[in-house]
Amino acid sequence: MMERLTRLFALWTVLGVTWAWFVPGHFAWVTDGTIRPLGQPLISVMLGVVMLGMGLHISLDDFRRVIAMPRQVFAGTVLHFTIMPIAGFASAILYGLEPGLAVGLILVACCPAGTASNVINYLARTNVALSVAMTMLSTLVAVVLTPLLTGWLAGVYIEIDRWSLFRELIAVVLVPVIAGTLLNRYAARLSRALDQVAPLISVIFVVIIVAGIIAKSKPMIESHAGMLLLAVFTLHFTGFLFGYLSGKALRLSEITARTISVEVGMQNSGLGASLASSRNFAGQFMDPAQAALAPVPAAISAVMHVLIGSLLAALWRRVPARTDTHED
């Protein structure tokens, strides 16, 4: 039952966002909440739990997959951190987004793939093992690449404190992932017990984070809906399309190209939303109104990429790819 509920990630996202849109008061606690003993915003703590859940899935087998499929895994990771940042920057320029929205879009475009891509790859009947390996690698290298790429591309709009962003990623990504991996390695029984509920909890927390930002940002979304929706759609459509085409251009098999398409096109929007909502990141804007806009693209992204990915998965389920592991 837990697995079935987790697979309905797209449905929960749409329902959560719809709920937040029509009754925003129900989610006011999400963006305003703080875990007092830790002194950390609630969103950051929830994201840390999500990343801990990801760490529970990382084992020696995942590293063996990277070694067994080095060309595919590294190709997917490189394509992810080239296609998406360029697409995010180009979309911000093309649609003339305000600085806050532009920086937020670029930030989410520079984030790694998230666990949602593994769910979509599972539904699309592609190579789930490859998907997990690419998600793991992109998450680990994002600790360095996300601050560097965001600082470089978003620097056109504001001066990005790369070290601050790096420290934030260490806290909300690397530490929880390592903790989950160590639990998996040295406390296998506890890890297995937690793993029964961790995927569903991760889905719930990501939906709550996105819904909270949608609720808080509703007036701003209404004011910028047209260009913002087009920009976010363009970002993810470009990722899915060029991820697939690049895989084919590299003479990878059809099933690998499809897997890479999903991994490139889907971002860890919860991470983008958390980073954009942090006090340190908001403090880099001279105008508080622009700072308030920065988390909005990530919230829209969370809905957009799941919808596109779900439609693509439905299409690919009807047109199965070869299941052999041979690359052309």
Side-chain angles (χ1 to χ4, degrees):
M1 182 178 292
M2 289 288 185
E3 186 178 352
R4 289 177 180 175
L5 291 173
T6 302
R7 289 182 203 164
L8 295 174
F9 179 72
L11 175 62
W12 306 139
T13 302
V14 172
L15 290 177
V17 167
T18 303
W19 184 0
W21 185 263
F22 288 104
V23 196
H26 287 181
F27 293 89
W29 56 275
V30 178
T31 52
D32 298 334
T34 302
I35 305 298
R36 293 181 184 276
L38 300 175
Q40 293 293 321
L42 179 60
I43 286 180
S44 296
V45 174
M46 286 194 292
L47 183 68
V49 173
V50 173
M51 302 314 295
L52 176 68
M54 179 181 289
L56 292 173
H57 284 278
I58 297 177
S59 64
L60 291 177
D61 289 337
D62 294 307
F63 291 101
R64 292 190 186 103
R65 290 189 189 106
V66 174
I67 296 171
M69 301 180 287
R71 185 180 176 217
Q72 299 95 315
V73 174
F74 285 104
T77 303
V78 170
L79 289 171
H80 185 97
F81 284 107
T82 51
I83 292 173
M84 293 305 280
I86 292 171
F89 179 76
S91 296
I93 297 294
L94 176 64
Y95 295 105
L97 298 183
E98 293 188 29
L101 295 176
V103 171
L105 185 69
I106 291 169
L107 175 59
V108 76
C110 295
C111 284
T115 52
S117 64
N118 306 146
V119 176
I120 296 299
N121 269 308
Y122 174 83
L123 297 176
R125 294 176 179 169
T126 56
N127 192 332
V128 178
L130 176 60
S131 172
V132 171
M134 285 193 289
T135 299
M136 179 195 72
L137 185 59
S138 72
T139 298
L140 294 176
V141 300
V143 175
V144 174
L145 289 184
T146 296
L148 288 177
L149 291 170
T150 303
W152 178 41
L153 296 172
V156 173
Y157 296 93
I158 64 170
E159 185 67 31
I160 299 292
D161 185 346
R162 293 175 176 84
W163 281 111
S164 175
L165 197 53
F166 175 75
R167 290 193 298 269
E168 189 80 15
L169 280 158
I170 291 289
V172 301
V173 174
L174 191 60
V175 171
V177 167
I178 290 176
T181 304
L182 291 176
L183 280 174
N184 189 4
R185 178 68 178 85
Y186 296 106
R189 183 175 297 179
L190 174 61
S191 177
R192 284 194 296 270
L194 292 174
D195 196 41
Q196 297 297 313
V197 296
L200 182 58
I201 290 175
S202 296
V203 167
I204 292 171
F205 277 10
V206 170
V207 171
I208 289 174
I209 290 171
V210 172
I213 292 173
I214 291 289
K216 182 178 181 179
S217 309
K218 180 179 177 179
M220 291 176 282
I221 294 173
E222 289 176 325
S223 301
H224 303 86
M227 290 297 101
L228 178 58
L229 289 173
L230 280 173
V232 176
F233 174 80
T234 300
L235 168 67
H236 290 293
F237 180 80
T238 301
F240 282 107
L241 177 62
F242 283 92
Y244 176 81
L245 294 178
S246 298
K248 299 301 288 184
L250 292 171
R251 300 184 63 80
L252 300 174
S253 67
E254 174 68 17
I255 197 167
T256 298
R258 292 183 181 188
T259 307
I260 289 176
S261 171
V262 174
E263 284 298 311
V264 172
M266 300 191 72
Q267 300 296 92
N268 190 334
S269 301
L271 174 60
S274 175
L275 294 173
S277 302
S278 67
R279 297 188 190 97
N280 289 336
F281 194 82
Q284 297 172 52
F285 287 87
M286 297 295 292
D287 183 357
Q290 293 299 321
L293 289 173
V296 177
I300 302 296
S301 166
V303 183
M304 190 71 73
H305 74 176
V306 167
L307 292 177
I308 298 174
S310 297
L311 291 173
L312 199 57
L315 172 64
W316 280 340
R317 284 175 71 91
R318 292 177 177 271
V319 188
R322 293 202 310 263
T323 56
D324 61 274
T325 57
H326 173 70
E327 300 298 346
D328 299 330

Short mmCIF file of all heavy atoms in Angstrom, two decimals, residues 83-92 95 104-110 228-242 264-267 269 297 301 304 308:
data_model
loop_
_atom_site.label_atom_id
_atom_site.label_comp_id
_atom_site.label_asym_id
_atom_site.label_seq_id
_atom_site.Cartn_x
_atom_site.Cartn_y
_atom_site.Cartn_z
N ILE A 83 22.26 21.08 -19.78
CA ILE A 83 21.00 21.42 -20.45
C ILE A 83 20.11 22.27 -19.57
O ILE A 83 19.61 23.33 -19.99
CB ILE A 83 20.26 20.14 -20.88
CG1 ILE A 83 21.02 19.44 -22.00
CG2 ILE A 83 18.83 20.48 -21.35
CD1 ILE A 83 20.46 18.08 -22.37
N MET A 84 19.89 21.87 -18.32
CA MET A 84 18.93 22.57 -17.47
C MET A 84 19.38 23.97 -17.06
O MET A 84 18.60 24.93 -17.15
CB MET A 84 18.59 21.72 -16.24
CG MET A 84 17.84 20.44 -16.57
SD MET A 84 16.31 20.73 -17.51
CE MET A 84 15.20 21.24 -16.19
N PRO A 85 20.62 24.17 -16.59
CA PRO A 85 21.04 25.54 -16.27
C PRO A 85 20.97 26.48 -17.47
O PRO A 85 20.52 27.63 -17.35
CB PRO A 85 22.49 25.36 -15.79
CG PRO A 85 22.53 23.97 -15.26
CD PRO A 85 21.65 23.19 -16.17
N ILE A 86 21.39 26.00 -18.65
CA ILE A 86 21.32 26.83 -19.85
C ILE A 86 19.87 27.14 -20.20
O ILE A 86 19.52 28.28 -20.54
CB ILE A 86 22.04 26.15 -21.03
CG1 ILE A 86 23.54 26.08 -20.77
CG2 ILE A 86 21.77 26.90 -22.34
CD1 ILE A 86 24.31 25.24 -21.77
N ALA A 87 19.01 26.12 -20.11
CA ALA A 87 17.58 26.32 -20.40
C ALA A 87 16.94 27.29 -19.42
O ALA A 87 16.10 28.11 -19.79
CB ALA A 87 16.85 24.98 -20.37
N GLY A 88 17.34 27.20 -18.13
CA GLY A 88 16.78 28.11 -17.12
C GLY A 88 17.19 29.55 -17.39
O GLY A 88 16.36 30.47 -17.32
N PHE A 89 18.46 29.75 -17.69
CA PHE A 89 18.95 31.09 -17.98
C PHE A 89 18.30 31.65 -19.25
O PHE A 89 17.85 32.80 -19.28
CB PHE A 89 20.47 31.06 -18.14
CG PHE A 89 21.09 32.39 -18.46
CD1 PHE A 89 21.25 33.34 -17.47
CD2 PHE A 89 21.50 32.70 -19.75
CE1 PHE A 89 21.81 34.58 -17.75
CE2 PHE A 89 22.07 33.93 -20.05
CZ PHE A 89 22.22 34.88 -19.05
N ALA A 90 18.23 30.83 -20.30
CA ALA A 90 17.64 31.27 -21.57
C ALA A 90 16.16 31.59 -21.40
O ALA A 90 15.67 32.58 -21.97
CB ALA A 90 17.83 30.18 -22.64
N SER A 91 15.44 30.80 -20.62
CA SER A 91 14.01 31.05 -20.40
C SER A 91 13.79 32.35 -19.64
O SER A 91 12.86 33.11 -19.94
CB SER A 91 13.38 29.88 -19.63
OG SER A 91 13.44 28.69 -20.39
N ALA A 92 14.63 32.61 -18.64
CA ALA A 92 14.52 33.85 -17.87
C ALA A 92 14.71 35.06 -18.77
O ALA A 92 13.99 36.06 -18.66
CB ALA A 92 15.53 33.86 -16.74
N TYR A 95 11.68 35.30 -21.62
CA TYR A 95 10.37 35.76 -21.15
C TYR A 95 10.46 37.04 -20.32
O TYR A 95 9.45 37.50 -19.78
CB TYR A 95 9.68 34.66 -20.35
CG TYR A 95 9.34 33.46 -21.22
CD1 TYR A 95 10.08 32.29 -21.14
CD2 TYR A 95 8.29 33.51 -22.14
CE1 TYR A 95 9.79 31.20 -21.95
CE2 TYR A 95 7.98 32.41 -22.94
CZ TYR A 95 8.73 31.27 -22.84
OH TYR A 95 8.44 30.19 -23.65
N GLY A 104 15.14 32.73 -9.16
CA GLY A 104 14.50 31.51 -8.67
C GLY A 104 14.45 30.42 -9.73
O GLY A 104 14.68 29.23 -9.44
N LEU A 105 14.17 30.82 -10.98
CA LEU A 105 14.12 29.85 -12.08
C LEU A 105 15.51 29.27 -12.35
O LEU A 105 15.67 28.06 -12.54
CB LEU A 105 13.58 30.51 -13.34
CG LEU A 105 13.37 29.58 -14.54
CD1 LEU A 105 12.23 28.61 -14.27
CD2 LEU A 105 13.08 30.38 -15.81
N ILE A 106 16.52 30.12 -12.34
CA ILE A 106 17.89 29.65 -12.57
C ILE A 106 18.33 28.73 -11.43
O ILE A 106 18.98 27.70 -11.66
CB ILE A 106 18.85 30.84 -12.71
CG1 ILE A 106 18.56 31.58 -14.02
CG2 ILE A 106 20.30 30.40 -12.67
CD1 ILE A 106 19.26 32.92 -14.15
N LEU A 107 17.96 29.08 -10.20
CA LEU A 107 18.34 28.25 -9.06
C LEU A 107 17.76 26.85 -9.18
O LEU A 107 18.48 25.85 -9.01
CB LEU A 107 17.86 28.90 -7.76
CG LEU A 107 18.07 28.09 -6.47
CD1 LEU A 107 19.55 27.78 -6.26
CD2 LEU A 107 17.50 28.83 -5.27
N VAL A 108 16.47 26.74 -9.48
CA VAL A 108 15.86 25.41 -9.59
C VAL A 108 16.43 24.66 -10.79
O VAL A 108 16.56 23.44 -10.78
CB VAL A 108 14.32 25.49 -9.64
CG1 VAL A 108 13.81 25.96 -11.00
CG2 VAL A 108 13.69 24.14 -9.31
N ALA A 109 16.81 25.39 -11.85
CA ALA A 109 17.41 24.76 -13.03
C ALA A 109 18.79 24.20 -12.72
O ALA A 109 19.25 23.28 -13.41
CB ALA A 109 17.50 25.77 -14.17
N CYS A 110 19.46 24.74 -11.70
CA CYS A 110 20.80 24.28 -11.32
C CYS A 110 20.76 23.23 -10.22
O CYS A 110 21.82 22.79 -9.75
CB CYS A 110 21.65 25.47 -10.86
SG CYS A 110 22.00 26.66 -12.17
N LEU A 228 5.45 33.39 -16.24
CA LEU A 228 6.08 32.45 -15.32
C LEU A 228 5.76 31.01 -15.73
O LEU A 228 6.65 30.16 -15.78
CB LEU A 228 5.60 32.71 -13.89
CG LEU A 228 6.14 31.75 -12.82
CD1 LEU A 228 7.66 31.79 -12.79
CD2 LEU A 228 5.56 32.11 -11.45
N LEU A 229 4.50 30.73 -16.01
CA LEU A 229 4.12 29.37 -16.41
C LEU A 229 4.80 28.97 -17.71
O LEU A 229 5.26 27.84 -17.86
CB LEU A 229 2.59 29.28 -16.57
CG LEU A 229 1.79 29.34 -15.27
CD1 LEU A 229 0.29 29.40 -15.56
CD2 LEU A 229 2.09 28.13 -14.38
N LEU A 230 4.87 29.90 -18.66
CA LEU A 230 5.55 29.61 -19.92
C LEU A 230 7.04 29.34 -19.70
O LEU A 230 7.61 28.43 -20.30
CB LEU A 230 5.38 30.79 -20.89
CG LEU A 230 4.05 30.88 -21.63
CD1 LEU A 230 3.96 32.19 -22.41
CD2 LEU A 230 3.87 29.69 -22.56
N ALA A 231 7.66 30.13 -18.84
CA ALA A 231 9.10 29.97 -18.58
C ALA A 231 9.39 28.62 -17.93
O ALA A 231 10.34 27.92 -18.31
CB ALA A 231 9.60 31.11 -17.70
N VAL A 232 8.58 28.24 -16.94
CA VAL A 232 8.79 26.96 -16.26
C VAL A 232 8.51 25.79 -17.20
O VAL A 232 9.24 24.79 -17.21
CB VAL A 232 7.93 26.87 -14.99
CG1 VAL A 232 8.08 25.50 -14.33
CG2 VAL A 232 8.32 27.96 -13.99
N PHE A 233 7.44 25.92 -17.99
CA PHE A 233 7.14 24.87 -18.96
C PHE A 233 8.29 24.71 -19.96
O PHE A 233 8.72 23.59 -20.27
CB PHE A 233 5.85 25.18 -19.72
CG PHE A 233 5.57 24.21 -20.85
CD1 PHE A 233 5.01 22.97 -20.57
CD2 PHE A 233 5.89 24.53 -22.16
CE1 PHE A 233 4.76 22.05 -21.59
CE2 PHE A 233 5.65 23.63 -23.19
CZ PHE A 233 5.08 22.39 -22.91
N THR A 234 8.81 25.83 -20.45
CA THR A 234 9.91 25.79 -21.40
C THR A 234 11.14 25.12 -20.80
O THR A 234 11.82 24.32 -21.45
CB THR A 234 10.28 27.22 -21.86
OG1 THR A 234 9.14 27.82 -22.48
CG2 THR A 234 11.44 27.20 -22.85
N LEU A 235 11.42 25.44 -19.53
CA LEU A 235 12.57 24.83 -18.84
C LEU A 235 12.47 23.31 -18.87
O LEU A 235 13.40 22.62 -19.29
CB LEU A 235 12.63 25.34 -17.40
CG LEU A 235 13.59 24.59 -16.46
CD1 LEU A 235 15.03 24.83 -16.89
CD2 LEU A 235 13.36 25.01 -15.02
N HIS A 236 11.34 22.79 -18.41
CA HIS A 236 11.21 21.33 -18.28
C HIS A 236 11.01 20.64 -19.62
O HIS A 236 11.57 19.56 -19.85
CB HIS A 236 10.08 20.99 -17.31
CG HIS A 236 10.41 21.34 -15.90
ND1 HIS A 236 11.40 20.70 -15.18
CD2 HIS A 236 9.90 22.30 -15.07
CE1 HIS A 236 11.48 21.24 -13.97
NE2 HIS A 236 10.59 22.20 -13.88
N PHE A 237 10.26 21.26 -20.52
CA PHE A 237 10.08 20.68 -21.85
C PHE A 237 11.43 20.55 -22.55
O PHE A 237 11.74 19.53 -23.17
CB PHE A 237 9.13 21.53 -22.68
CG PHE A 237 8.90 20.99 -24.07
CD1 PHE A 237 7.99 19.95 -24.27
CD2 PHE A 237 9.58 21.51 -25.16
CE1 PHE A 237 7.78 19.44 -25.55
CE2 PHE A 237 9.37 21.00 -26.43
CZ PHE A 237 8.47 19.96 -26.63
N THR A 238 12.25 21.59 -22.43
CA THR A 238 13.59 21.56 -23.02
C THR A 238 14.43 20.44 -22.41
O THR A 238 15.15 19.73 -23.11
CB THR A 238 14.30 22.91 -22.80
OG1 THR A 238 13.53 23.95 -23.40
CG2 THR A 238 15.70 22.90 -23.41
N GLY A 239 14.33 20.27 -21.09
CA GLY A 239 15.09 19.21 -20.42
C GLY A 239 14.71 17.83 -20.89
O GLY A 239 15.57 17.00 -21.22
N PHE A 240 13.40 17.55 -20.93
CA PHE A 240 12.94 16.24 -21.39
C PHE A 240 13.35 16.00 -22.84
O PHE A 240 13.85 14.93 -23.19
CB PHE A 240 11.41 16.15 -21.28
CG PHE A 240 10.91 15.90 -19.88
CD1 PHE A 240 10.28 16.90 -19.15
CD2 PHE A 240 11.05 14.65 -19.29
CE1 PHE A 240 9.81 16.68 -17.88
CE2 PHE A 240 10.58 14.40 -18.01
CZ PHE A 240 9.96 15.42 -17.30
N LEU A 241 13.13 17.00 -23.71
CA LEU A 241 13.39 16.84 -25.14
C LEU A 241 14.88 16.65 -25.43
O LEU A 241 15.28 15.68 -26.08
CB LEU A 241 12.86 18.05 -25.90
CG LEU A 241 13.13 18.07 -27.41
CD1 LEU A 241 12.46 16.88 -28.09
CD2 LEU A 241 12.66 19.39 -28.03
N PHE A 242 15.70 17.59 -24.93
CA PHE A 242 17.12 17.52 -25.25
C PHE A 242 17.85 16.44 -24.47
O PHE A 242 18.90 15.96 -24.90
CB PHE A 242 17.77 18.89 -25.04
CG PHE A 242 17.48 19.85 -26.16
CD1 PHE A 242 16.39 20.71 -26.08
CD2 PHE A 242 18.26 19.86 -27.30
CE1 PHE A 242 16.09 21.58 -27.12
CE2 PHE A 242 17.97 20.73 -28.35
CZ PHE A 242 16.88 21.59 -28.26
N VAL A 264 17.06 14.31 -16.75
CA VAL A 264 17.43 15.69 -17.09
C VAL A 264 16.24 16.62 -16.90
O VAL A 264 16.38 17.73 -16.37
CB VAL A 264 17.94 15.76 -18.56
CG1 VAL A 264 18.15 17.22 -18.98
CG2 VAL A 264 19.25 15.00 -18.70
N GLY A 265 15.06 16.19 -17.31
CA GLY A 265 13.90 17.07 -17.30
C GLY A 265 13.30 17.33 -15.93
O GLY A 265 12.57 18.31 -15.75
N MET A 266 13.60 16.49 -14.95
CA MET A 266 12.99 16.63 -13.62
C MET A 266 14.02 17.11 -12.61
O MET A 266 15.13 16.57 -12.52
CB MET A 266 12.36 15.31 -13.17
CG MET A 266 11.28 14.83 -14.12
SD MET A 266 10.32 13.45 -13.47
CE MET A 266 9.36 14.27 -12.19
N GLN A 267 13.64 18.12 -11.85
CA GLN A 267 14.54 18.73 -10.86
C GLN A 267 14.07 18.42 -9.45
O GLN A 267 12.92 18.07 -9.21
CB GLN A 267 14.56 20.25 -11.05
CG GLN A 267 15.04 20.72 -12.40
CD GLN A 267 16.48 20.35 -12.65
OE1 GLN A 267 16.76 19.30 -13.21
NE2 GLN A 267 17.40 21.19 -12.23
N SER A 269 12.76 20.06 -7.07
CA SER A 269 12.11 21.36 -6.86
C SER A 269 11.97 21.70 -5.38
O SER A 269 11.98 22.87 -5.00
CB SER A 269 10.73 21.37 -7.53
OG SER A 269 10.85 21.12 -8.91
N PRO A 297 9.14 30.11 -8.69
CA PRO A 297 9.40 29.20 -9.81
C PRO A 297 9.60 27.74 -9.39
O PRO A 297 9.17 26.83 -10.10
CB PRO A 297 10.67 29.77 -10.44
CG PRO A 297 10.64 31.22 -10.09
CD PRO A 297 10.06 31.27 -8.71
N SER A 301 7.51 24.69 -10.64
CA SER A 301 8.30 23.61 -11.24
C SER A 301 7.88 22.25 -10.69
O SER A 301 7.81 21.27 -11.44
CB SER A 301 9.79 23.85 -10.97
OG SER A 301 10.55 22.71 -11.22
N MET A 304 4.82 21.30 -12.56
CA MET A 304 4.99 21.21 -14.01
C MET A 304 5.77 19.96 -14.42
O MET A 304 5.36 19.23 -15.33
CB MET A 304 5.72 22.46 -14.52
CG MET A 304 5.75 22.60 -16.03
SD MET A 304 4.13 23.00 -16.71
CE MET A 304 3.97 24.73 -16.21
N ILE A 308 4.32 16.84 -16.76
CA ILE A 308 4.95 16.47 -18.04
C ILE A 308 5.51 15.05 -17.95
O ILE A 308 5.33 14.24 -18.87
CB ILE A 308 6.07 17.46 -18.41
CG1 ILE A 308 5.51 18.88 -18.60
CG2 ILE A 308 6.78 17.02 -19.68
CD1 ILE A 308 6.58 19.94 -18.83
#
